[in-house]
């Protein structure tokens, strides 16, 4: 055989029409019809598929030398043999690791066979696609590299970069710190106004709005950028396009970072993906932020860092902002309700010459020019009572109180309370007023009195449970009755101590009276379990120096405390109006203070003189605003509802 068909339709440039004729004549030597038939056979290069060739499909070759054809035929035979061998091994369940050498040998054999024109075309297309992809990647690389470099910069280096941008703006005649801006809408207003309006890709061409806020995120796509703008009401997207912004688009890309505060003007459009957007025609840098925002996923998670950097906490955590909005609504509701009930809010001094009105250790200070030792107030009570004596029948003050005590999830040395005093009322009236005020505050931030708190659901539906302290303690020490003891009998104190110790109440040996021991038992055993709103009434006189004696229960006073979620929320008395009794109690407190009790109060002579002028029967009420806000906003810690709680110094 002189020539064989070349494998896989490979025809060299030397294969001319003259060569074809010669070869055809040599190949057949027959009639014209025979030549035409053979020509069709030779150049049609039909394929056949043999399922036993293990993925290899030989084709009818065109022309090559006998030696080359024989070599290829031998390789094809080896491919078939090796393919059959692998198939048998697979059927026998041979492991992949054992098959690997055989497969490698098969692939090496296939590599010796020249590719078909179709395979060459596919390979060429694949190569072109990869080169195009590589070129595109190289084009994007500088931007990605820039972003990566920025991500790797320290905070100080990022600050320097942003300061340089601010200076570059000034150099270009642009002010990075504007004086004012006049937005027409907030983000929340626009979201509400266009709710259910505009299809994807549709624009309200007649609209023209101006918004202002902080850039939270930015995404760039060449001549198109999307920013998320956040203001006090929520967020809205800004759609920035070069064709719409013109030359200012270049400045936008050069100068704007996340965290910057900008103003933007444009029409309202809903993107193809359905996102409501301001389709901007112009933008203005209002404040260039020189420090970056915390990372979205790994940023402001440390609790102490959140409290210390509350401004960042408010920026990146909308739920925190919502808590303080609700706090403002709660206090506004409280003032509004009291004003509607004809109470007057009158401010009283923060600096006191004599500490009084509660049992608490005060903060001490000194007035230099007057050379006076003073304390920060631990209560507003005594001054407000002097106003009652002076003729104001209903007064209150919502303000800050300072107590030099420990810090916990329910205690902060500086906190907010409201104290309310009503002439001609008693503690029963104050219980009704408390229910009314708290339910009104709850309704001011929601439409329900069923509130989630941790794992509990708190019901504020009235009336709330009322139980004496004696009955509350009896539920936990059922075999001992504190109420049956004679407070004047020394043996009663011993019996009370033993009962308390047996119930697991600590440090009762230090307590001098039955009333003190009863109160300790209540605080240890009962208080943590008062989850639903509960009035604990009728306290021992020993722990209530400013309350009126109970009208029918000797040794007790007309006092209540409101508890919920295991915390005290409010405290109230039928106020003591007898100046002689009040002096005796003040002097007993002074003796305790002289003996080392830092929380006992002093004798306030100015208040006693005022009380001798005569104070009408009065009901007094104090509500801890911070703890109440905790309940109404489902906040686990008092520091979550105080904007800037007291923290230990930051070592960094």
């Amino acid at each position: 055989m002189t020539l064989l068909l070349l494998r896989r339709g490979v025809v060299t440039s030397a294969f001319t029409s003259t060569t074809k004729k010669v070869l055809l004549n040599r190949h057949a030597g027959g009639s014209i019809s025979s030549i035409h038939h053979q020509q069709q056979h030779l150049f049609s290069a039909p394929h056949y598929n043999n399922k036993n060739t293990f993925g290899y499909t030989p084709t009818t070759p065109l022309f090559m030398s006998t030696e080359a054809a024989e070599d290829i035929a031998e390789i094809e035979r080896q491919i078939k043999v090796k393919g059959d061998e692998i198939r048998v091994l697979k059927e026998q369940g041979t492991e992949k690791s054992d098959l690997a050498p055989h497969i490698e040998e098969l692939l090496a054999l296939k590599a010796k066979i020249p590719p078909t024109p179709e395979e060459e075309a596919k390979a060429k297309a694949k190569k072109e696609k990869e080169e195009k992809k590589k070129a595109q990647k190289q084009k994007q690389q500088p931007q990605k590299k820039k972003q990566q470099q920025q991500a790797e910069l320290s905070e100080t280096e990022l600050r320097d970069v942003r300061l340089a941008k601010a200076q570059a703006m000034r150099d270009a005649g642009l002010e990075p710190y504007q004086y004012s801006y006049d937005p027409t809408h907030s983000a929340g207003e626009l979201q509400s106004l266009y709710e259910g309006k505009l299809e994807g890709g549709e624009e309200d061409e007649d609209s023209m709005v101006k918004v202002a806020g902080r850039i939270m995120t930015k995404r760039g796509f060449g001549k198109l950028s999307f920013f998320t703008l956040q203001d006090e009401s929520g967020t809205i997207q800004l759609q920035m396009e070069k064709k719409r912004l013109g030359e200012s688009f270049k400045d936008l890309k050069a100068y704007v970072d996340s965290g910057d505060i900008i103003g933007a003007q444009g029409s309202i459009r809903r993107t193809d993906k359905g996102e409501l957007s301001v389709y901007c025609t112009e933008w203005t840098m209002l404040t260039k932020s020189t420090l970056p925002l915390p990372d979205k996923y790994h940023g402001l998670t440390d609790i102490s860092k959140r409290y210390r950097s509350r401004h960042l906490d408010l920026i990146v955590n909308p739920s925190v902002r919502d808590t303080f909005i609700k706090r403002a609504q709660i206090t506004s509701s409280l003032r509004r309700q009291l004003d509607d009930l004809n109470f007057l809010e009158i401010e009283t001094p923060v600096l006191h010459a004599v500490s009084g009105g509660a049992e608490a250790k005060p903060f001490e200070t000194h007035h230099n020019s007057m050379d006076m030792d003073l304390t920060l107030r631990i209560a507003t009570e005594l001054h407000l009572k002097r106003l009652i004596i002076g003729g104001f029948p209903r007064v209150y003050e919502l303000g800050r109180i300072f107590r030099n005590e420990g810090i916990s999830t329910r205690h902060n040395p500086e906190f907010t309370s409201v104290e309310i005093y009503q002439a001609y009322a008693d503690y029963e009236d104050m219980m009704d007023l408390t229910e009314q005020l708290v339910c009104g505050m709850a309704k001011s931030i929601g439409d329900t009195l069923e509130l989630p708190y941790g794992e509990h659901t708190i019901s504020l539906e009235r009336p709330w449970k009322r139980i004496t302290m004696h009955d509350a303690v009896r539920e936990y020490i059922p075999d001992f009755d504190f109420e049956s003891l004679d407070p004047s009998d020394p043996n009663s104190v011993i019996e009370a101590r033993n009962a308390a110790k047996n119930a697991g109440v600590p440090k009762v040996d230090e307590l001098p009276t039955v009333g003190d021991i009863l109160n300790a038992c209540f605080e240890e055993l009962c208080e943590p379990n008062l989850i639903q709103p509960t009035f604990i009434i009728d306290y021992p006189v020993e722990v209530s120096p400013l309350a009126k004696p109970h009208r029918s229960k000797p040794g007790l006073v007309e006092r209540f405390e409101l508890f919920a979620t295991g915390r005290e929320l409010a405290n109230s008395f039928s106020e003591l109006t007898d100046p002689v009794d009040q002096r005796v109690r003040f002097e007993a407190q002074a003796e305790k203070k002289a003996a080392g009790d830092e929380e006992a109060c002093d004798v306030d002579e100015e208040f006693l003189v005022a009380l001798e002028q005569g104070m009408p029967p009065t009901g007094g009420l104090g509500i801890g605003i911070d703890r109440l806000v905790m309940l109404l906003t489902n906040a686990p810690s008092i520091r979550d509802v105080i904007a800037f709680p007291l923290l230990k110094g930051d070592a960094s």
Side-chain angles (χ1 to χ4, degrees):
M1 180 171 61
T2 306
L3 290 174
L4 292 177
L5 290 173
L6 279 172
R7 178 186 171 273
R8 297 198 173 197
V10 177
V11 181
T12 67
S13 59
F15 190 66
T16 63
S17 59
T18 304
T19 308
K20 291 180 186 178
K21 292 178 182 179
V22 173
L23 291 174
L24 286 170
N25 289 332
R26 291 181 59 186
H27 178 73
S31 65
I32 295 298
S33 61
S34 174
I35 291 174
H36 283 301
H37 172 76
Q38 292 166 29
Q39 187 174 10
Q40 278 187 337
H41 174 74
L42 288 168
F43 296 104
S44 61
H47 289 65
Y48 70 92
N49 185 16
N50 187 336
K51 67 179 181 178
N52 295 323
T53 57
F54 201 73
Y56 171 66
T57 306
T59 60
T60 301
L62 287 175
F63 302 99
M64 64 170 58
S65 68
T66 303
E67 184 179 351
E70 289 175 351
D71 289 341
I72 290 175
E74 176 59 24
I75 292 171
E76 291 178 340
R77 187 190 65 78
Q78 292 176 18
I79 288 174
K80 183 178 182 307
V81 171
K82 179 55 67 176
D84 292 342
E85 182 182 351
I86 291 173
R87 185 172 294 100
V88 171
L89 290 173
K90 279 189 171 183
E91 291 172 354
Q92 292 175 351
T94 305
E95 296 290 335
K96 287 185 178 180
S97 57
D98 295 330
L99 280 174
H102 298 279
I103 294 175
E104 288 179 5
E105 186 179 345
L106 177 63
L107 294 174
L109 288 170
K110 288 184 176 183
K112 295 179 181 180
I113 304 296
T116 65
E118 292 84 355
E119 289 173 339
E120 283 185 335
K122 286 181 181 179
K124 183 179 179 182
K126 184 178 179 183
K127 185 178 180 181
E128 289 175 351
K129 186 177 179 181
E130 288 176 351
E131 287 176 351
K132 186 177 179 181
K133 189 175 180 182
K134 184 178 179 182
Q136 189 176 4
K137 188 176 180 182
Q138 288 174 343
K139 186 178 178 181
Q140 295 173 346
Q141 196 65 28
Q143 182 66 21
K144 289 187 177 180
K145 188 176 182 181
K146 182 179 178 182
Q147 293 173 351
Q148 185 178 3
Q149 287 173 344
Q150 286 192 353
E152 292 172 354
L153 292 177
S154 67
E155 188 173 278
T156 301
E157 291 169 329
L158 284 171
R159 180 175 178 272
D160 291 341
V161 169
R162 292 184 175 217
L163 285 171
K165 289 183 179 182
Q167 186 57 49
M169 288 187 69
R170 288 194 173 103
D171 294 342
L174 302 172
E175 176 54 56
Y177 300 99
Q178 290 291 338
Y179 291 88
S180 65
Y181 193 78
D182 188 22
T184 60
H185 296 78
S186 69
E189 286 172 343
L190 291 175
Q191 296 286 4
S192 176
L193 187 62
Y194 283 90
E195 184 177 1
K197 298 178 182 178
L198 300 181
E199 298 295 327
E202 184 181 355
E203 177 186 357
D204 181 0
E205 296 180 355
D206 296 330
S207 63
M208 187 54 63
V209 303
K210 294 171 71 176
V211 293
R214 190 181 299 275
I215 299 301
M216 300 303 293
T217 62
K218 46 179 272 187
R219 294 169 291 136
F221 306 95
K223 298 179 181 180
L224 173 66
S225 291
F226 292 102
F227 293 176
T228 300
L229 181 140
Q230 175 178 284
D231 63 15
E232 76 284 354
S233 67
T235 62
I236 193 164
Q237 182 170 267
L238 306 182
Q239 182 176 343
M240 308 283 204
E241 287 187 6
K242 183 177 181 179
K243 67 179 182 181
R244 199 168 172 93
L245 292 174
E247 286 300 312
S248 68
F249 186 78
K250 178 182 67 176
D251 295 336
L252 180 83
K253 297 190 73 174
Y255 301 137
V256 177
D257 295 297
S258 61
D260 291 348
I261 299 173
I262 74 168
Q265 177 175 322
S267 58
I268 295 298
R269 180 179 186 272
R270 197 172 291 280
T271 66
D272 294 339
K273 292 185 177 181
E275 184 74 18
L276 189 70
S277 307
V278 177
Y279 194 21
C280 299
T281 56
E282 64 180 65
W283 70 277
T284 304
M285 177 71 76
L286 301 180
T287 300
K288 180 64 189 171
S289 172
T290 57
L291 289 176
L293 293 174
D295 181 86
K296 181 178 180 182
Y297 299 104
H298 309 291
L300 207 61
T301 55
D302 180 78
I303 294 297
S304 179
K305 175 78 171 175
R306 285 181 50 211
Y307 297 146
R308 197 175 304 280
S309 302
R310 183 66 88 183
H311 59 289
L312 286 178
D313 195 21
L314 292 167
I315 290 172
V316 302
N317 293 320
S319 61
V320 175
R321 204 162 54 249
D322 184 57
T323 294
F324 288 105
I325 291 172
K326 287 180 177 177
R327 179 183 176 118
Q329 293 169 340
I330 288 167
T331 54
S332 293
S333 168
L334 174 61
R335 281 192 165 100
R336 188 164 52 251
Q337 290 182 81
L338 289 171
D339 293 345
D340 290 344
L341 292 170
N342 297 320
F343 284 87
L344 291 178
E345 182 174 17
I346 301 179
E347 296 172 334
T348 63
V350 172
L351 296 175
H352 289 186
V354 178
S355 175
E359 290 191 67
K361 182 180 178 180
F363 286 97
E364 298 174 349
T365 187
H366 184 80
H367 193 291
N368 291 333
S369 64
M370 299 179 71
D371 193 23
M372 287 179 63
D373 289 330
L374 300 168
T375 64
L376 301 185
R377 66 185 183 191
I378 58 174
T380 57
E381 178 169 347
L382 300 184
H383 285 91
L384 289 173
K385 284 183 178 178
R386 287 162 70 175
L387 293 170
I388 292 286
I389 295 168
F392 290 107
R394 298 186 177 201
V395 294
Y396 76 96
E397 183 176 4
L398 178 64
R400 302 295 271 179
I401 303 298
F402 309 88
R403 296 181 181 177
N404 199 346
E405 58 189 16
I407 297 175
S408 70
T409 56
R410 62 181 67 185
H411 294 93
N412 194 68
E414 177 183 4
F415 61 94
T416 302
S417 77
V418 61
E419 290 199 36
I420 305 164
Y421 294 89
Q422 179 179 342
Y424 313 111
D426 63 9
Y427 78 140
E428 293 280 356
D429 297 312
M430 293 296 105
M431 277 188 257
D432 295 337
L433 179 61
T434 303
E435 290 181 346
Q436 178 181 344
L437 293 176
V438 173
C439 289
M441 286 184 273
K443 284 293 188 69
S444 72
I445 60 170
D447 57 358
T448 179
L449 295 178
E450 300 289 325
L451 307 176
Y453 192 84
E455 60 184 9
H456 304 288
T457 297
I458 308 301
S459 175
L460 297 180
E461 294 290 345
R462 303 167 66 184
W464 299 343
K465 182 179 180 181
R466 305 181 183 190
I467 182 174
T468 68
M469 181 177 283
H470 277 109
D471 289 340
V473 171
R474 191 177 292 116
E475 291 180 3
Y476 292 88
I477 311 179
D479 54 352
F480 188 82
D481 185 8
F482 280 88
E483 202 166 8
S484 65
L485 297 178
D486 180 1
S488 62
D489 184 356
N491 289 326
S492 294
V493 176
I494 296 173
E495 291 178 28
R497 282 178 184 156
N498 291 335
K501 288 179 182 178
N502 291 336
V505 180
K507 299 180 181 180
V508 291
D509 287 332
E510 306 168 6
L511 303 178
T513 69
V514 171
D516 287 315
I517 297 169
L518 174 66
N519 186 63
C521 290
F522 169 77
E523 290 180 348
E524 179 69 22
L525 304 175
C526 309
E527 183 175 335
N529 299 310
L530 297 173
I531 305 302
Q532 298 301 324
T534 304
F535 290 115
I536 300 297
I537 64 175
D538 302 343
Y539 277 61
V541 66
E542 295 91 338
V543 296
S544 309
L546 298 171
K548 184 172 289 218
H550 200 284
R551 65 194 75 182
S552 62
K553 299 178 181 178
L556 302 180
V557 296
E558 293 192 351
R559 175 188 179 188
F560 76 75
E561 286 185 306
L562 170 65
F563 292 88
T565 67
R567 303 186 183 104
E568 175 201 344
L569 299 180
N571 190 15
S572 173
F573 308 142
S574 291
E575 298 296 339
L576 182 59
T577 55
D578 181 347
V580 176
D581 190 358
Q582 183 66 81
R583 179 174 291 277
V584 170
R585 298 199 202 180
F586 273 167
E587 290 174 347
Q589 285 285 309
E591 289 177 6
K592 290 171 68 176
K593 189 167 187 175
D597 187 345
E598 294 180 323
E599 294 189 346
C601 62
D602 296 308
V603 178
D604 190 330
E605 290 291 348
E606 290 186 357
F607 173 70
L608 289 173
V609 170
L611 195 60
E612 290 189 356
Q613 293 293 326
M615 184 171 82
T618 300
L621 168 64
I623 301 175
I625 297 301
D626 306 299
R627 291 185 182 178
L628 180 61
V629 174
M630 287 173 63
L631 169 63
L632 298 182
T633 62
N634 194 12
S637 171
I638 195 170
R639 286 175 288 187
D640 292 325
V641 299
I642 297 176
F644 301 99
L646 184 65
L647 302 169
K648 287 184 178 180
D650 187 359
S652 63

